[in-house]
């Protein structure tokens, strides 16, 4: 797309994932941290026919979060972060067993600390009295779309620089985040939009789009947004990887209150999509 818009002066745009060949050819340093988890993905068809499927659902399990992201009125995309061993097991299940596992992960009661459970009952009661909000259940999955199931390793990554002379990196080639906050695709879209804007300005000014000083403007703008998101996402991953009771209680209260107050939730959503 970028070459179509601006010609061939920009020799390479690395949009080739976290194992980027373009990044390796640039010879830049890349920080990488493995989480020893895998993300299982699939496209799922929801029960009860077409509905107003506009809500993303997420549940935090002891092995990692599971999320359903709406695709259409009756289909959603699954992203299930879990241990390597469990991911391999899920990949081996037949379709019906896999759907049953997904429904159990969303709806089956999980062992909980009694103290945390008592605290959350009080918090949920307060939220209900204050806002009128009720806890809703995630939709039930009916079937799995054939051949849509896959898995990939999870980790944190960030390259030392996004740009070189006539070359730049976008998306997972430049930065890699845990999917628990759903920010990977948003960061990639933001990279593309910023790069297009910077190159358009350079092209209009007759400065040439392969000029390193112009490409650095893209890097500077994206670093201001990407680095805080990476640090926040990494902190959340660590926060939800512990079973230390006070931490579990505090994170549960924080998540419930955030979801209960629309202004806070809207602010976070707007920042994530900016």
């Amino acid at each position: 797309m970028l070459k179509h818009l601006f010609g061939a002066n920009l020799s390479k745009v690395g949009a080739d994932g976290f194992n980027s060949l373009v990044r390796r050819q640039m010879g830049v340093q890349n920080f990488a941290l493995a989480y020893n988890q895998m993300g299982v993905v699939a496209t799922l068809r929801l029960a009860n026919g077409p509905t107003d499927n506009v809500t993303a659902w997420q549940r935090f399990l002891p092995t990692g979060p599971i999320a359903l992201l709406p695709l259409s009125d009756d289909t959603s995309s699954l992203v299930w972060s879990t241990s390597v061993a469990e991911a391999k097991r899920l990949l081996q299940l037949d379709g019906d067993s896999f759907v049953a596992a997904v429904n159990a992960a969303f709806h089956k009661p999980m062992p909980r600390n009694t103290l945390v459970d008592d605290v959350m009952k009080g918090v949920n009661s307060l939220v209900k009295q204050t806002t009128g909000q009720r806890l809703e259940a995630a939709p039930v999955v009916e079937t799995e779309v054939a051949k849509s199931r896959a898995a990939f390793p999870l980790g944190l990554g960030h390259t030392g620089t996004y740009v070189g002379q006539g070359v730049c990196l976008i998306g997972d080639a430049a930065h890699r985040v845990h999917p628990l906050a759903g920010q990977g695709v948003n960061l990639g879209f933001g990279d593309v939009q910023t790069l297009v804007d910077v190159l358009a300005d350079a092209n209009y000014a007759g400065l040439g789009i392969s000029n390193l000083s112009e490409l650095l403007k893209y890097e500077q703008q994206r670093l201001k947004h990407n680095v805080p998101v990476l640090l926040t996402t990494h902190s959340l991953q660590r926060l939800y990887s512990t079973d230390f009771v006070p931490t579990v209680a505090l994170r549960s209260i924080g998540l419930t209150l955030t979801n209960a107050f629309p202004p806070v939730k809207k602010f976070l959503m707007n920042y994530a999509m900016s």
Side-chain angles (χ1 to χ4, degrees):
M1 179 186 74
L2 295 169
K3 287 189 177 182
H4 173 72
L5 290 172
F6 302 110
N9 291 329
L10 189 64
S11 60
K12 288 182 181 178
V13 176
D16 49 346
F18 67 88
N19 285 324
S20 173
L21 175 61
V22 175
R23 187 182 65 232
R24 292 199 297 271
Q25 291 175 338
M26 289 173 65
V28 299
Q29 291 184 338
N30 183 63
F31 170 79
L33 175 66
Y35 287 138
N36 296 318
Q37 287 184 310
M38 296 191 75
V40 177
V41 296
T43 301
L44 305 175
R45 200 169 304 280
L46 307 180
N48 304 321
T51 59
D52 190 20
N53 182 30
V54 295
T55 302
W57 300 87
Q58 187 171 43
R59 186 183 188 190
F60 290 89
L61 304 173
T63 55
I66 182 173
L68 279 178
L69 310 174
L71 294 176
S72 69
D73 286 345
D74 63 349
T75 59
S76 287
S77 177
L78 171 76
V79 183
W80 189 345
S81 304
T82 188
S83 65
V84 175
E86 177 64 5
K88 291 180 178 179
R89 187 188 74 83
L90 291 170
L91 290 177
Q92 296 301 316
L93 296 177
D94 60 56
D96 290 342
S97 298
F98 181 70
V99 167
V102 172
N103 284 326
F106 272 108
H107 300 284
K108 181 180 178 181
M110 296 290 171
R112 300 177 65 171
N113 180 275
T114 304
L115 175 61
V116 175
D117 204 30
D118 290 342
V119 169
M120 290 311 301
K121 286 179 181 178
V123 172
N124 288 326
S125 177
L126 177 63
V127 168
K128 183 180 177 180
Q129 294 175 11
T130 305
T131 67
Q133 288 188 1
R134 296 174 178 268
L135 293 177
E136 297 183 34
V140 175
V141 174
E142 184 175 60
T143 59
E144 173 193 18
V145 174
K147 299 181 180 180
S148 66
R149 200 187 322 170
F152 58 93
L154 303 180
L156 172 73
H158 196 258
T159 186
T161 182
Y162 292 4
V163 302
Q165 188 66 46
V167 61
C168 66
L169 302 171
I170 62 175
D172 282 3
H175 42 73
R176 180 185 179 197
V177 297
H178 194 286
L180 66 85
Q183 288 307 296
V185 68
N186 286 340
L187 293 181
F189 288 157
D191 290 349
V192 172
Q193 185 61 62
T194 300
L195 182 59
V196 168
D197 291 344
V198 167
L199 294 182
D201 290 343
N203 196 47
Y204 182 78
L207 299 175
I209 63 171
S210 63
N211 188 288
L212 183 58
S213 63
E214 295 302 308
L215 292 176
L216 281 171
K217 294 179 181 179
Y218 153 73
E219 177 180 274
Q220 291 165 357
Q221 291 183 41
R222 292 311 296 164
L223 283 174
K224 293 177 183 178
H225 185 82
N226 292 348
V227 172
V229 171
L230 261 69
L231 293 176
T232 300
T233 304
H234 177 65
S235 298
L236 287 172
Q237 194 277 334
R238 291 308 191 207
L239 180 65
Y240 282 94
S241 296
T242 180
D243 57 3
F244 183 55
V245 173
T247 302
V248 173
L250 288 173
R251 76 192 185 198
S252 299
I253 294 170
L255 192 62
T256 300
L257 294 179
T258 299
N259 186 61
F261 294 98
V264 177
K265 186 162 59 174
K266 185 177 181 180
F267 170 79
L268 295 174
M269 292 172 62
N270 288 340
Y271 180 82
M273 293 185 293
S274 65

